[in-house]
Amino acid sequence: MEPNSHTQVTTPPTHWGTKAWNLLSQVQTQSPLVQCITNFVSMDLMANTLLSAGASPAMLHSLDEIHDFTPHADALCINIGTLSPPWLPAMKAAAAVCSENGKPWVLDPVAVSASGFRMNACVELVELRPTVIRGNGSEIIALSFASSDKPTKGADSVHESTDAVEAAKLLAQKSGAIVAVSGATDIVTDGHQVIGAHNGVPLMQKITATGCSVTALIAAFVAVDKSHALDAAVSALAVFGVAGELGMKIAKGPGSLRMHLIDALHELDEATLLSHVNITSLS
């Protein structure tokens, strides 16, 4: 990241590394139940990411099951990647249950400005007060201002995460959510402080659903420490990025990186995480 408008403040690596390891250890010990109402493309990788980290995924999206199941979940992840009208009521009902019961939930506004339907759905979901909103730069900018000059490039981003810092802060202030922006540097803000997670490798962008999967991982981390959602979001992004870095050491391309990333997440130990985590304050 270019040190132009946001100055990096170095924090001892062990500070954030210890936080990240403690949260990952809690996920492994507590195995939080994470309900995912997500898109067809991402279900497999999201579920395997959660399992590899020690969480318990539940891919339930039927409105008929929300009343019985969602109150028992430790966290909820809503992803609008393949949004369709029959799914939206279940998303809104599940989010409402979590908000009413003090359960954390995370929103992934995939390609939010690609259609009015998507934008309106996300605006309605944000009104149900997500704990964390995670998207790429273009998605966060569009959702923050609830409009866009032109449609986004599918789920891809035409903005760097660092382009979206002010929009992310505004969205956090308006929604009350922690806002995470994925990119070469992952940005996380509560509307005031801004944290940068610098882990990961570019080839992760060539694997579909990596963004969706880290959103689910954020939900698992927030499930075990909902009173510190910013720390949980930053830590989840860093842990996932470290797993990508480790997987890249033996991967030959995006297909093998997908496999090795999951293996690395499953096998991650304290010493390795502490030596790889790269998190700085940008505010």
Side-chain angles (χ1 to χ4, degrees):
M1 177 181 180
E2 294 295 328
N4 44 20
S5 59
H6 298 278
T7 302
Q8 293 188 12
V9 179
T10 303
T11 302
T14 53
H15 170 76
W16 274 108
T18 299
K19 280 187 179 183
W21 175 252
N22 287 341
L23 286 164
L24 179 59
S25 297
Q26 289 180 59
V27 170
Q28 294 170 341
T29 301
Q30 298 178 27
S31 190
L33 178 60
V34 181
Q35 180 183 356
C36 301
I37 304 180
T38 188
N39 67 77
F40 296 116
V41 179
S42 70
M43 287 182 183
D44 176 77
L45 188 56
M46 285 178 71
N48 282 305
T49 295
L50 288 169
L51 286 169
S52 296
S56 178
M59 320 308 277
L60 277 74
H61 58 262
S62 171
L63 179 60
D64 293 336
E65 294 188 285
I66 300 301
H67 176 75
D68 293 329
F69 185 86
T70 304
H72 300 290
D74 296 303
L76 169 70
C77 177
I78 293 179
N79 176 302
I80 68 158
T82 52
L83 185 65
S84 63
W87 282 40
L88 184 56
M91 292 177 174
K92 293 167 68 175
V97 167
C98 287
S99 295
E100 291 164 5
N101 289 278
K103 300 285 185 75
W105 73 277
V106 182
L107 173 64
D108 194 330
V110 180
V112 60
S113 64
S115 70
F117 174 53
R118 284 174 181 272
M119 179 62 77
N120 291 336
C122 283
V123 169
E124 292 173 0
L125 287 165
V126 169
E127 291 174 355
L128 294 169
R129 302 195 65 81
T131 310
V132 180
I133 301 169
R134 190 224 62 91
N136 62 39
S138 294
E139 291 160 353
I140 295 303
I141 290 170
L143 184 57
S144 179
F145 297 103
S147 64
S148 181
D149 292 335
K150 59 183 179 180
T152 59
K153 183 184 174 185
D156 296 335
S157 181
V158 295
H159 295 91
E160 296 294 335
S161 58
T162 49
D163 297 332
V165 172
E166 295 306 317
K169 290 171 68 176
L170 179 62
L171 180 58
Q173 292 165 4
K174 288 166 56 178
S175 66
I178 299 300
V179 176
V181 191
S182 292
T185 295
D186 296 321
I187 304 294
V188 185
T189 182
D190 59 2
H192 303 285
Q193 60 180 318
V194 181
I195 308 295
H198 309 273
N199 293 107
V201 294
L203 195 61
M204 293 170 72
Q205 297 177 15
K206 298 298 184 181
I207 305 170
T208 189
T210 50
C212 304
S213 298
V214 80
T215 303
L217 190 62
I218 290 171
F221 275 48
V222 175
V224 299
D225 193 2
K226 61 183 179 182
S227 61
H228 299 96
L230 184 141
D231 289 357
V234 172
S235 297
L237 287 160
V239 165
F240 194 73
V242 169
E245 292 172 6
L246 297 173
M248 191 66 217
K249 291 180 179 180
I250 52 177
K252 298 182 182 298
S256 55
L257 177 57
R258 184 185 193 275
M259 175 181 67
H260 292 307
L261 186 157
I262 292 296
D263 286 348
L265 180 58
H266 176 69
E267 297 167 359
L268 195 56
D269 59 62
E270 182 176 7
T272 302
L273 184 61
L274 291 177
S275 66
H276 283 76
V277 162
N278 184 6
I279 296 171
T280 59
S281 173
L282 303 178
S283 58

